[in-house]
Amino acid sequence: MATTQSNPQERTARELLTQDRPLFLGVDGDGAAHYWDSYEFAVAIVSADGDTERVVLAETPFETLAEWCEYTRGERGWDIGPHVGGSLVGDLVRGVEA
């Protein structure tokens, strides 16, 4: 039987967020992975060396996940992602923003 193993950054993000399986957004230019929790409307940021940050969008000037991703693009860039566009993910983001 096959099992899926989460990577260490995802396991750490799960500890910071309510949602059991947060959505992987991408890896920024500094190598930190970003995970989205739609229950809390929060992003967990986990660096490669294990430093963590939890950002609740209501406590920032950003109203949407898309705004957060654009901010991150400007501050750190994205090496991978962000995965917040197209089909299912796009529908989810639009639904949350509505």
Side-chain angles (χ1 to χ4, degrees):
M1 174 191 301
T3 60
T4 40
Q5 298 283 331
S6 60
N7 67 46
Q9 288 176 308
E10 182 180 343
R11 286 192 298 274
T12 301
R14 286 180 184 178
E15 294 171 7
L16 294 173
L17 301 169
T18 301
Q19 199 167 356
D20 184 44
R21 285 274 189 192
L23 176 68
F24 173 69
L25 295 176
V27 177
D28 67 30
D30 294 338
H34 293 238
Y35 293 86
W36 172 247
D37 184 325
S38 60
Y39 296 151
E40 296 183 76
F41 217 68
V43 177
I45 305 163
V46 184
S47 71
D49 63 5
D51 290 338
T52 62
E53 182 179 3
R54 182 176 166 274
V55 178
V56 177
L57 289 192
E59 298 170 0
T60 72
F62 312 109
E63 294 183 18
T64 67
L65 178 57
E67 288 177 358
W68 168 261
C69 290
E70 282 306 310
Y71 164 76
T72 301
R73 181 184 312 282
E75 290 295 311
R76 302 179 184 187
W78 289 101
D79 282 346
I80 300 171
H83 302 291
V84 291
S87 68
L88 179 62
V89 175
D91 293 345
L92 172 68
V93 171
R94 282 187 295 278
V96 170
E97 291 177 350

